Amino acid sequence: MNFLNLKRHVYFLFILFSVFGKINAQNSTAKKNGYPITPVNIKDVKITDAFWLPVIKRVQEKTIDYAIHKCEEEGRLDNFLIAGGKMKGEVKGQMPFDDTDVYKIIEGASNTLISEPNPKLEKLLDSLIAIIKVGQEKDGYLTTWRTINPAKPPATWVPVIEGKRWESLQISHELYNPGHMIEAAVVHYKATGKRNFLDIAIKTADMLVRTFGDKPDQVHGVPGHQIVETGLVNLYKITNNKSYLTLAKYFLDNRGNPKNHKLYGAYAQDNIPVIQQKEAVGHAVRAVYMYAGMTDIAAIYNDQSYLNAVNNLWLNMVNKKMYITGGIGAKHEGEAFGKDYELPNLTAYNETCAAIGDVYWNHRLHSLTGNSDYFDIIERSLYNGLISGISLDGKQFFYPNALESDGVHKNNRGSCTRQAWFDCSCCPTNLIRFIPSIPGLIYSTSKDILYVNLYASNTAKITLDKTALEISQQTDYPWDGKVALTVSPQKESEFTIKLRIPGWARNQVLPGDLYSYKSASSLVTKVTVNEIPFNQSEEKGYIIITRKWKKGDTIKLDFPMEVKEVVTNSKVEGNIGKVALEYGPIVYAIEEIDNPTDFGKITINANDTFKVTKENNLLEGVNTIQTSKLKAIPYYSWSNRGVGKMKVWIDLK
């Protein structure tokens, strides 16, 4: 990665940093976190996959550097220096949460370091962390716009605040900013063992612990935009400082509590207490970040009231408020969930950040239950409504992800195609934060059980309670349903491998009844162990194989892939009489560039024959679906060839 031209005469003095020792083994070992299932760390999973490796490398090698340059150009880095008095000027940028773009870049780059050491990148991060440290106030407070000039916020939608800290928590992002910072610092520590960023986070967290609570001399309030809750929980897990966990629970316990603060309303999920919430409402990103925090509390405290609420919210979302791509958030107004079954296509919001937050939440739910339904949502989001947010060159982005385009309606914050950057750049940097962590989704463990959750070529080192093993996958998934796994324990031993059967291979589009296949497939998944057919038992969507494994044992899976037509619950009025096409985990769309004649009149007929063709020179290599009247491409790849019409839902004739 290239170094930035960081205004050397200003920044040079602040590049120096101290290298601290690792937290000692006793302190770095977290207490039991309440989750019975543990994801396998990305450092132990080496991706070789033809689909995911290019996506991850593109972010690591292009998007990170691109985003740092954007942050430098727009003053994100200057703000820390101005806040620390090392540079003169007013706050730069448009948003009160601009600081978090820097934090998310560091988190994504740290995930990159976990996967593979990179001294040059590590040194660059140290320089960015040194700049961040300059902007931190002596007591740990860290929100640069307010430190620079509390009476002059960076955006017109934030009212002038001339009072004390924390007086406008609903919109000031004074807790959102440290939330992302703490999350990034934890990942950076895990990646490097250095405390330079972790100590900044601890200083801030300690200040928050002193500041917020039920005591008369403390501030009574909760974040306007959630995420500090999961940050505090993650910091607790590596420090064993329970005060961070207690504060996270305090913020959640007091949401919807009018005795604690003036309520923010349903937009911020602050209308009723969280344990009473049953419907996914308001700003979708805020919601899923909060639901992830609630799941942490349910797990760590074994709190049934929190668990009941999380389950109710999840059921409402998947049955009534989720798009076929895994996207969530129907409305541009408030970037919010709509009413039940309100799922417009042309004006769909489906913020990229919301898809990312939903993966974080569902991953926690899987770690709590082992139910494959959660990975059905994760997989659908990953291959469709999440990576649709980034272009094939890694430098163009969708903030919302519509399911239809007329080539005119400017769905993407003033544009009807991807943009190079945004005044509110949360989605590009959130993609940077998330995509390098994808290898950590593939496997999970619990005692002597190995869960294989996703299918992608890789090699991994796994440690179960009683054995260590290596496992490898070879597959052309998602273009092909064949997967070959090789299992090599250090010594012959008995343990269980659970292999997820994707929902689409079980005639389930998504959990719930919002979507269904027009015709159920009669084809079934085939499994062999050492070339011998295996009569699988299934539990919670997993094939369960318990046996004495020896080095070189093989498992082969053959998921039945065919073009499927999806229909929507009739309560979604906009999709009546329409179908969407799928092949494996991929949702398809038709784009005007491939269908230039009478695009608005394209239909699917009952007697259409679908042909699937691998086109290696199209959109970096995709399967296309063709009939005599149309050609469809994977939804995630649309809008990489200029402005034009697109639709996922096609009229059924």
Side-chain angles (χ1 to χ4, degrees), residues 52-89:
W52 283 113
L53 186 59
V55 174
I56 294 169
K57 281 194 169 294
R58 190 179 305 131
V59 168
Q60 293 172 332
E61 297 173 0
K62 294 182 179 180
T63 315
I64 289 175
D65 193 51
Y66 175 78
I68 292 175
H69 278 284
K70 284 292 185 182
C71 285
E72 196 275 336
E73 288 172 3
E74 298 192 357
R76 305 278 199 277
L77 302 176
D78 290 349
N79 283 340
F80 292 99
L81 297 173
I82 297 168
K86 304 300 182 182
M87 187 175 180
K88 293 183 179 181

mmCIF file of all heavy atoms in Angstrom, residues 52-89:
data_model
loop_
_atom_site.group_PDB
_atom_site.id
_atom_site.type_symbol
_atom_site.label_atom_id
_atom_site.label_comp_id
_atom_site.label_asym_id
_atom_site.label_seq_id
_atom_site.Cartn_x
_atom_site.Cartn_y
_atom_site.Cartn_z
ATOM 1 N N TRP A 52 -14.394 -15.173 -3.748
ATOM 2 C CA TRP A 52 -14.196 -14.247 -2.641
ATOM 3 C C TRP A 52 -12.795 -13.660 -2.573
ATOM 4 O O TRP A 52 -12.617 -12.519 -2.142
ATOM 5 C CB TRP A 52 -14.568 -14.905 -1.310
ATOM 6 C CG TRP A 52 -16.038 -14.979 -1.117
ATOM 7 C CD1 TRP A 52 -16.818 -16.095 -1.070
ATOM 8 C CD2 TRP A 52 -16.929 -13.863 -0.982
ATOM 9 N NE1 TRP A 52 -18.138 -15.756 -0.909
ATOM 10 C CE2 TRP A 52 -18.239 -14.394 -0.852
ATOM 11 C CE3 TRP A 52 -16.765 -12.478 -0.963
ATOM 12 C CZ2 TRP A 52 -19.360 -13.584 -0.695
ATOM 13 C CZ3 TRP A 52 -17.879 -11.670 -0.814
ATOM 14 C CH2 TRP A 52 -19.160 -12.226 -0.685
ATOM 15 N N LEU A 53 -11.784 -14.404 -2.967
ATOM 16 C CA LEU A 53 -10.428 -13.866 -2.856
ATOM 17 C C LEU A 53 -10.245 -12.579 -3.670
ATOM 18 O O LEU A 53 -9.682 -11.603 -3.153
ATOM 19 C CB LEU A 53 -9.395 -14.924 -3.264
ATOM 20 C CG LEU A 53 -7.933 -14.514 -3.049
ATOM 21 C CD1 LEU A 53 -7.655 -14.196 -1.585
ATOM 22 C CD2 LEU A 53 -6.994 -15.611 -3.546
ATOM 23 N N PRO A 54 -10.726 -12.504 -4.914
ATOM 24 C CA PRO A 54 -10.595 -11.231 -5.640
ATOM 25 C C PRO A 54 -11.361 -10.079 -4.979
ATOM 26 O O PRO A 54 -10.889 -8.931 -5.003
ATOM 27 C CB PRO A 54 -11.176 -11.557 -7.023
ATOM 28 C CG PRO A 54 -11.013 -13.032 -7.171
ATOM 29 C CD PRO A 54 -11.237 -13.580 -5.792
ATOM 30 N N VAL A 55 -12.520 -10.366 -4.398
ATOM 31 C CA VAL A 55 -13.290 -9.319 -3.720
ATOM 32 C C VAL A 55 -12.512 -8.791 -2.522
ATOM 33 O O VAL A 55 -12.386 -7.577 -2.309
ATOM 34 C CB VAL A 55 -14.665 -9.864 -3.273
ATOM 35 C CG1 VAL A 55 -15.408 -8.824 -2.441
ATOM 36 C CG2 VAL A 55 -15.501 -10.270 -4.479
ATOM 37 N N ILE A 56 -11.981 -9.699 -1.717
ATOM 38 C CA ILE A 56 -11.236 -9.300 -0.523
ATOM 39 C C ILE A 56 -9.960 -8.566 -0.898
ATOM 40 O O ILE A 56 -9.637 -7.505 -0.335
ATOM 41 C CB ILE A 56 -10.934 -10.541 0.345
ATOM 42 C CG1 ILE A 56 -12.239 -11.129 0.905
ATOM 43 C CG2 ILE A 56 -9.984 -10.191 1.487
ATOM 44 C CD1 ILE A 56 -12.084 -12.497 1.553
ATOM 45 N N LYS A 57 -9.211 -9.100 -1.864
ATOM 46 C CA LYS A 57 -7.959 -8.460 -2.276
ATOM 47 C C LYS A 57 -8.200 -7.081 -2.883
ATOM 48 O O LYS A 57 -7.390 -6.162 -2.714
ATOM 49 C CB LYS A 57 -7.203 -9.360 -3.247
ATOM 50 C CG LYS A 57 -6.438 -10.486 -2.557
ATOM 51 C CD LYS A 57 -5.445 -11.125 -3.492
ATOM 52 C CE LYS A 57 -4.503 -12.059 -2.737
ATOM 53 N NZ LYS A 57 -3.633 -11.315 -1.804
ATOM 54 N N ARG A 58 -9.303 -6.931 -3.579
ATOM 55 C CA ARG A 58 -9.620 -5.629 -4.165
ATOM 56 C C ARG A 58 -9.772 -4.578 -3.069
ATOM 57 O O ARG A 58 -9.272 -3.452 -3.190
ATOM 58 C CB ARG A 58 -10.902 -5.742 -4.988
ATOM 59 C CG ARG A 58 -11.222 -4.531 -5.833
ATOM 60 C CD ARG A 58 -12.500 -4.781 -6.618
ATOM 61 N NE ARG A 58 -12.407 -5.990 -7.416
ATOM 62 C CZ ARG A 58 -13.328 -6.954 -7.438
ATOM 63 N NH1 ARG A 58 -14.414 -6.857 -6.687
ATOM 64 N NH2 ARG A 58 -13.178 -8.006 -8.200
ATOM 65 N N VAL A 59 -10.465 -4.941 -2.005
ATOM 66 C CA VAL A 59 -10.630 -4.021 -0.880
ATOM 67 C C VAL A 59 -9.288 -3.754 -0.213
ATOM 68 O O VAL A 59 -8.937 -2.606 0.093
ATOM 69 C CB VAL A 59 -11.648 -4.586 0.133
ATOM 70 C CG1 VAL A 59 -11.613 -3.790 1.431
ATOM 71 C CG2 VAL A 59 -13.049 -4.562 -0.464
ATOM 72 N N GLN A 60 -8.520 -4.811 0.009
ATOM 73 C CA GLN A 60 -7.242 -4.668 0.700
ATOM 74 C C GLN A 60 -6.231 -3.870 -0.109
ATOM 75 O O GLN A 60 -5.468 -3.069 0.449
ATOM 76 C CB GLN A 60 -6.676 -6.058 1.019
ATOM 77 C CG GLN A 60 -7.498 -6.831 2.037
ATOM 78 C CD GLN A 60 -7.030 -8.269 2.192
ATOM 79 O OE1 GLN A 60 -6.491 -8.855 1.256
ATOM 80 N NE2 GLN A 60 -7.234 -8.844 3.370
ATOM 81 N N GLU A 61 -6.202 -4.082 -1.402
ATOM 82 C CA GLU A 61 -5.151 -3.507 -2.234
ATOM 83 C C GLU A 61 -5.549 -2.207 -2.926
ATOM 84 O O GLU A 61 -4.668 -1.441 -3.351
ATOM 85 C CB GLU A 61 -4.708 -4.533 -3.285
ATOM 86 C CG GLU A 61 -4.087 -5.782 -2.656
ATOM 87 C CD GLU A 61 -3.805 -6.881 -3.671
ATOM 88 O OE1 GLU A 61 -4.101 -6.662 -4.870
ATOM 89 O OE2 GLU A 61 -3.308 -7.943 -3.271
ATOM 90 N N LYS A 62 -6.838 -1.943 -3.062
ATOM 91 C CA LYS A 62 -7.281 -0.741 -3.759
ATOM 92 C C LYS A 62 -8.156 0.162 -2.880
ATOM 93 O O LYS A 62 -7.887 1.347 -2.742
ATOM 94 C CB LYS A 62 -8.066 -1.118 -5.029
ATOM 95 C CG LYS A 62 -7.231 -1.802 -6.099
ATOM 96 C CD LYS A 62 -8.080 -2.079 -7.335
ATOM 97 C CE LYS A 62 -7.265 -2.754 -8.437
ATOM 98 N NZ LYS A 62 -8.096 -3.031 -9.646
ATOM 99 N N THR A 63 -9.209 -0.424 -2.294
ATOM 100 C CA THR A 63 -10.218 0.407 -1.637
ATOM 101 C C THR A 63 -9.687 1.055 -0.371
ATOM 102 O O THR A 63 -10.010 2.211 -0.078
ATOM 103 C CB THR A 63 -11.475 -0.422 -1.330
ATOM 104 O OG1 THR A 63 -11.828 -1.215 -2.469
ATOM 105 C CG2 THR A 63 -12.644 0.487 -1.002
ATOM 106 N N ILE A 64 -8.871 0.344 0.402
ATOM 107 C CA ILE A 64 -8.321 0.928 1.632
ATOM 108 C C ILE A 64 -7.497 2.162 1.296
ATOM 109 O O ILE A 64 -7.685 3.240 1.877
ATOM 110 C CB ILE A 64 -7.486 -0.110 2.414
ATOM 111 C CG1 ILE A 64 -8.406 -1.166 3.041
ATOM 112 C CG2 ILE A 64 -6.656 0.569 3.498
ATOM 113 C CD1 ILE A 64 -7.667 -2.301 3.730
ATOM 114 N N ASP A 65 -6.586 2.034 0.361
ATOM 115 C CA ASP A 65 -5.732 3.156 -0.018
ATOM 116 C C ASP A 65 -6.563 4.303 -0.591
ATOM 117 O O ASP A 65 -6.342 5.479 -0.275
ATOM 118 C CB ASP A 65 -4.700 2.680 -1.038
ATOM 119 C CG ASP A 65 -3.588 3.694 -1.253
ATOM 120 O OD1 ASP A 65 -3.009 4.148 -0.250
ATOM 121 O OD2 ASP A 65 -3.305 4.027 -2.419
ATOM 122 N N TYR A 66 -7.527 3.950 -1.426
ATOM 123 C CA TYR A 66 -8.418 4.949 -2.029
ATOM 124 C C TYR A 66 -9.161 5.731 -0.945
ATOM 125 O O TYR A 66 -9.242 6.969 -0.984
ATOM 126 C CB TYR A 66 -9.405 4.235 -2.945
ATOM 127 C CG TYR A 66 -10.468 5.105 -3.565
ATOM 128 C CD1 TYR A 66 -10.182 5.919 -4.657
ATOM 129 C CD2 TYR A 66 -11.772 5.095 -3.068
ATOM 130 C CE1 TYR A 66 -11.166 6.709 -5.238
ATOM 131 C CE2 TYR A 66 -12.757 5.875 -3.640
ATOM 132 C CZ TYR A 66 -12.457 6.691 -4.723
ATOM 133 O OH TYR A 66 -13.432 7.473 -5.284
ATOM 134 N N ALA A 67 -9.688 5.025 0.056
ATOM 135 C CA ALA A 67 -10.475 5.671 1.106
ATOM 136 C C ALA A 67 -9.603 6.540 2.013
ATOM 137 O O ALA A 67 -10.044 7.608 2.469
ATOM 138 C CB ALA A 67 -11.207 4.620 1.925
ATOM 139 N N ILE A 68 -8.378 6.108 2.274
ATOM 140 C CA ILE A 68 -7.488 6.941 3.085
ATOM 141 C C ILE A 68 -7.201 8.254 2.367
ATOM 142 O O ILE A 68 -7.220 9.335 2.968
ATOM 143 C CB ILE A 68 -6.182 6.192 3.414
ATOM 144 C CG1 ILE A 68 -6.466 5.014 4.354
ATOM 145 C CG2 ILE A 68 -5.163 7.131 4.066
ATOM 146 C CD1 ILE A 68 -5.268 4.142 4.636
ATOM 147 N N HIS A 69 -6.959 8.176 1.068
ATOM 148 C CA HIS A 69 -6.738 9.407 0.295
ATOM 149 C C HIS A 69 -7.967 10.307 0.334
ATOM 150 O O HIS A 69 -7.839 11.533 0.462
ATOM 151 C CB HIS A 69 -6.372 9.068 -1.153
ATOM 152 C CG HIS A 69 -4.935 8.720 -1.340
ATOM 153 N ND1 HIS A 69 -3.928 9.660 -1.355
ATOM 154 C CD2 HIS A 69 -4.321 7.517 -1.493
ATOM 155 C CE1 HIS A 69 -2.764 9.069 -1.528
ATOM 156 N NE2 HIS A 69 -2.964 7.764 -1.620
ATOM 157 N N LYS A 70 -9.150 9.725 0.245
ATOM 158 C CA LYS A 70 -10.377 10.517 0.324
ATOM 159 C C LYS A 70 -10.501 11.185 1.690
ATOM 160 O O LYS A 70 -10.884 12.358 1.792
ATOM 161 C CB LYS A 70 -11.592 9.632 0.052
ATOM 162 C CG LYS A 70 -11.799 9.288 -1.417
ATOM 163 C CD LYS A 70 -12.191 10.520 -2.216
ATOM 164 C CE LYS A 70 -12.517 10.183 -3.655
ATOM 165 N NZ LYS A 70 -12.843 11.399 -4.446
ATOM 166 N N CYS A 71 -10.191 10.440 2.739
ATOM 167 C CA CYS A 71 -10.267 11.006 4.087
ATOM 168 C C CYS A 71 -9.257 12.138 4.263
ATOM 169 O O CYS A 71 -9.553 13.155 4.907
ATOM 170 C CB CYS A 71 -10.014 9.913 5.137
ATOM 171 S SG CYS A 71 -11.397 8.780 5.371
ATOM 172 N N GLU A 72 -8.091 11.976 3.679
ATOM 173 C CA GLU A 72 -7.078 13.029 3.763
ATOM 174 C C GLU A 72 -7.526 14.268 2.983
ATOM 175 O O GLU A 72 -7.424 15.395 3.470
ATOM 176 C CB GLU A 72 -5.749 12.498 3.228
ATOM 177 C CG GLU A 72 -4.542 13.353 3.608
ATOM 178 C CD GLU A 72 -4.305 14.515 2.662
ATOM 179 O OE1 GLU A 72 -4.745 14.426 1.498
ATOM 180 O OE2 GLU A 72 -3.685 15.509 3.085
ATOM 181 N N GLU A 73 -8.072 14.043 1.780
ATOM 182 C CA GLU A 73 -8.520 15.157 0.948
ATOM 183 C C GLU A 73 -9.636 15.952 1.621
ATOM 184 O O GLU A 73 -9.691 17.178 1.499
ATOM 185 C CB GLU A 73 -9.024 14.628 -0.398
ATOM 186 C CG GLU A 73 -7.936 14.127 -1.325
ATOM 187 C CD GLU A 73 -8.511 13.451 -2.558
ATOM 188 O OE1 GLU A 73 -9.757 13.425 -2.716
ATOM 189 O OE2 GLU A 73 -7.716 12.928 -3.354
ATOM 190 N N GLU A 74 -10.520 15.270 2.315
ATOM 191 C CA GLU A 74 -11.695 15.934 2.881
ATOM 192 C C GLU A 74 -11.500 16.364 4.336
ATOM 193 O O GLU A 74 -12.452 16.783 4.998
ATOM 194 C CB GLU A 74 -12.913 15.024 2.740
ATOM 195 C CG GLU A 74 -13.240 14.731 1.269
ATOM 196 C CD GLU A 74 -14.585 14.083 1.072
ATOM 197 O OE1 GLU A 74 -15.269 13.791 2.070
ATOM 198 O OE2 GLU A 74 -14.954 13.873 -0.097
ATOM 199 N N GLY A 75 -10.284 16.222 4.845
ATOM 200 C CA GLY A 75 -9.983 16.773 6.154
ATOM 201 C C GLY A 75 -10.293 15.881 7.337
ATOM 202 O O GLY A 75 -10.250 16.352 8.480
ATOM 203 N N ARG A 76 -10.597 14.608 7.085
ATOM 204 C CA ARG A 76 -10.885 13.715 8.210
ATOM 205 C C ARG A 76 -9.685 13.633 9.158
ATOM 206 O O ARG A 76 -9.851 13.609 10.378
ATOM 207 C CB ARG A 76 -11.203 12.299 7.721
ATOM 208 C CG ARG A 76 -12.314 12.180 6.703
ATOM 209 C CD ARG A 76 -13.690 12.192 7.335
ATOM 210 N NE ARG A 76 -14.669 11.646 6.415
ATOM 211 C CZ ARG A 76 -15.277 12.322 5.437
ATOM 212 N NH1 ARG A 76 -14.980 13.592 5.243
ATOM 213 N NH2 ARG A 76 -16.181 11.734 4.654
ATOM 214 N N LEU A 77 -8.481 13.563 8.605
ATOM 215 C CA LEU A 77 -7.281 13.471 9.432
ATOM 216 C C LEU A 77 -6.930 14.818 10.050
ATOM 217 O O LEU A 77 -6.514 14.888 11.216
ATOM 218 C CB LEU A 77 -6.116 12.939 8.597
ATOM 219 C CG LEU A 77 -6.345 11.579 7.945
ATOM 220 C CD1 LEU A 77 -5.167 11.197 7.057
ATOM 221 C CD2 LEU A 77 -6.591 10.495 8.973
ATOM 222 N N ASP A 78 -7.126 15.885 9.285
ATOM 223 C CA ASP A 78 -6.868 17.223 9.821
ATOM 224 C C ASP A 78 -7.680 17.484 11.085
ATOM 225 O O ASP A 78 -7.201 18.151 12.010
ATOM 226 C CB ASP A 78 -7.228 18.288 8.779
ATOM 227 C CG ASP A 78 -6.273 18.311 7.599
ATOM 228 O OD1 ASP A 78 -5.218 17.652 7.677
ATOM 229 O OD2 ASP A 78 -6.593 18.976 6.601
ATOM 230 N N ASN A 79 -8.907 16.980 11.122
ATOM 231 C CA ASN A 79 -9.776 17.267 12.267
ATOM 232 C C ASN A 79 -9.164 16.812 13.587
ATOM 233 O O ASN A 79 -9.323 17.477 14.618
ATOM 234 C CB ASN A 79 -11.142 16.604 12.073
ATOM 235 C CG ASN A 79 -12.022 17.360 11.093
ATOM 236 O OD1 ASN A 79 -11.807 18.546 10.833
ATOM 237 N ND2 ASN A 79 -13.007 16.685 10.535
ATOM 238 N N PHE A 80 -8.465 15.679 13.577
ATOM 239 C CA PHE A 80 -7.834 15.227 14.815
ATOM 240 C C PHE A 80 -6.721 16.177 15.238
ATOM 241 O O PHE A 80 -6.543 16.474 16.421
ATOM 242 C CB PHE A 80 -7.276 13.809 14.628
ATOM 243 C CG PHE A 80 -8.331 12.756 14.461
ATOM 244 C CD1 PHE A 80 -8.679 12.297 13.199
ATOM 245 C CD2 PHE A 80 -8.994 12.235 15.559
ATOM 246 C CE1 PHE A 80 -9.653 11.328 13.035
ATOM 247 C CE2 PHE A 80 -9.973 11.264 15.407
ATOM 248 C CZ PHE A 80 -10.309 10.813 14.146
ATOM 249 N N LEU A 81 -5.970 16.671 14.262
ATOM 250 C CA LEU A 81 -4.877 17.598 14.559
ATOM 251 C C LEU A 81 -5.402 18.959 14.990
ATOM 252 O O LEU A 81 -4.838 19.603 15.883
ATOM 253 C CB LEU A 81 -3.972 17.727 13.340
ATOM 254 C CG LEU A 81 -3.262 16.433 12.919
ATOM 255 C CD1 LEU A 81 -2.529 16.631 11.602
ATOM 256 C CD2 LEU A 81 -2.309 15.952 13.989
ATOM 257 N N ILE A 82 -6.487 19.414 14.371
ATOM 258 C CA ILE A 82 -7.102 20.682 14.782
ATOM 259 C C ILE A 82 -7.654 20.554 16.200
ATOM 260 O O ILE A 82 -7.479 21.443 17.037
ATOM 261 C CB ILE A 82 -8.210 21.093 13.787
ATOM 262 C CG1 ILE A 82 -7.615 21.350 12.400
ATOM 263 C CG2 ILE A 82 -8.929 22.345 14.280
ATOM 264 C CD1 ILE A 82 -8.664 21.488 11.299
ATOM 265 N N ALA A 83 -8.307 19.433 16.478
ATOM 266 C CA ALA A 83 -8.867 19.219 17.817
ATOM 267 C C ALA A 83 -7.778 19.214 18.873
ATOM 268 O O ALA A 83 -7.986 19.681 20.001
ATOM 269 C CB ALA A 83 -9.636 17.896 17.851
ATOM 270 N N GLY A 84 -6.588 18.707 18.526
ATOM 271 C CA GLY A 84 -5.486 18.652 19.482
ATOM 272 C C GLY A 84 -4.632 19.903 19.520
ATOM 273 O O GLY A 84 -3.615 19.938 20.218
ATOM 274 N N GLY A 85 -5.022 20.912 18.770
ATOM 275 C CA GLY A 85 -4.296 22.172 18.794
ATOM 276 C C GLY A 85 -2.995 22.164 18.021
ATOM 277 O O GLY A 85 -2.184 23.083 18.151
ATOM 278 N N LYS A 86 -2.782 21.156 17.176
ATOM 279 C CA LYS A 86 -1.549 21.069 16.405
ATOM 280 C C LYS A 86 -1.714 21.591 14.980
ATOM 281 O O LYS A 86 -0.774 21.555 14.196
ATOM 282 C CB LYS A 86 -1.062 19.611 16.361
ATOM 283 C CG LYS A 86 -0.856 18.990 17.728
ATOM 284 C CD LYS A 86 0.175 19.752 18.545
ATOM 285 C CE LYS A 86 0.404 19.082 19.895
ATOM 286 N NZ LYS A 86 1.363 19.845 20.727
ATOM 287 N N MET A 87 -2.895 22.059 14.691
ATOM 288 C CA MET A 87 -3.176 22.607 13.364
ATOM 289 C C MET A 87 -4.322 23.597 13.547
ATOM 290 O O MET A 87 -5.227 23.367 14.357
ATOM 291 C CB MET A 87 -3.576 21.467 12.414
ATOM 292 C CG MET A 87 -3.739 21.844 10.970
ATOM 293 S SD MET A 87 -4.069 20.339 9.982
ATOM 294 C CE MET A 87 -4.225 21.059 8.358
ATOM 295 N N LYS A 88 -4.290 24.712 12.850
ATOM 296 C CA LYS A 88 -5.324 25.722 12.984
ATOM 297 C C LYS A 88 -6.435 25.501 11.970
ATOM 298 O O LYS A 88 -6.206 24.978 10.883
ATOM 299 C CB LYS A 88 -4.723 27.115 12.824
ATOM 300 C CG LYS A 88 -3.780 27.515 13.946
ATOM 301 C CD LYS A 88 -3.278 28.935 13.766
ATOM 302 C CE LYS A 88 -2.357 29.327 14.919
ATOM 303 N NZ LYS A 88 -1.859 30.726 14.776
ATOM 304 N N GLY A 89 -7.640 25.926 12.339
ATOM 305 C CA GLY A 89 -8.752 25.848 11.409
ATOM 306 C C GLY A 89 -10.031 25.410 12.069
ATOM 307 O O GLY A 89 -10.055 25.022 13.250
#
